Amino acid sequence: QDKPTPEPAKPKKAPDFGPTISIPGISRPVGIYEPIYFQPGISNFTWAEFTKGGARITSGYRDPVSNRAVGGARNSRHMYGDAVDFWVEGMDVVNVFYKLKSYHPKGR
């Protein structure tokens, strides 16, 4: 009895992560909707969230070279992907701090 010839496996299509941008310290373009993996398999953000939709590089993540260039702390949390610098238009930075502190009284 003749056995049917198995069909060759179709190559997997790479996921579409949208338009690409260049990120300092990463050697390839990244899609703005691509998850950011600072620890393998753990992602809470996409590059769109860290770059305002790819419009600018904010300070959510810094590679060590960029961290030194902006005067970041030697062991800045930005290099681990769990810190972000931001501002609220029309609000004093101290007022923003106190509003956020009520949500995170231990500073975490």
Side-chain angles (χ1 to χ4, degrees):
Q1 200 175 27
D2 291 336
K3 292 184 179 179
T5 306
E7 290 187 33
K10 294 180 181 178
K12 289 185 179 181
K13 184 179 177 185
D16 180 10
F17 291 121
T20 61
I21 56 174
S22 295
I23 302 290
I26 297 179
S27 61
R28 64 173 180 79
V30 298
I32 64 170
Y33 302 114
E34 186 174 338
I36 301 172
Y37 292 105
F38 296 109
Q39 296 176 18
I42 298 173
S43 177
N44 294 311
F45 300 101
T46 66
W47 287 109
E49 293 171 300
F50 267 41
T51 64
K52 195 172 183 184
R56 67 170 187 253
I57 301 302
T58 59
S59 197
Y61 167 74
R62 298 180 197 145
D63 62 275
V65 172
S66 300
N67 188 61
R68 282 191 300 275
V70 299
R74 183 179 43 207
N75 199 23
S76 170
R77 297 308 309 167
H78 288 85
M79 295 188 300
Y80 300 94
D82 58 6
V84 63
D85 292 337
F86 65 95
W87 71 95
V88 178
E89 191 172 338
M91 250 182 116
D92 179 82
V93 67
V94 174
N95 291 333
V96 173
F97 168 78
Y98 283 114
K99 283 198 177 286
L100 291 175
K101 186 174 179 166
S102 67
Y103 292 100
H104 301 282
K106 294 183 178 181
R108 296 182 189 152

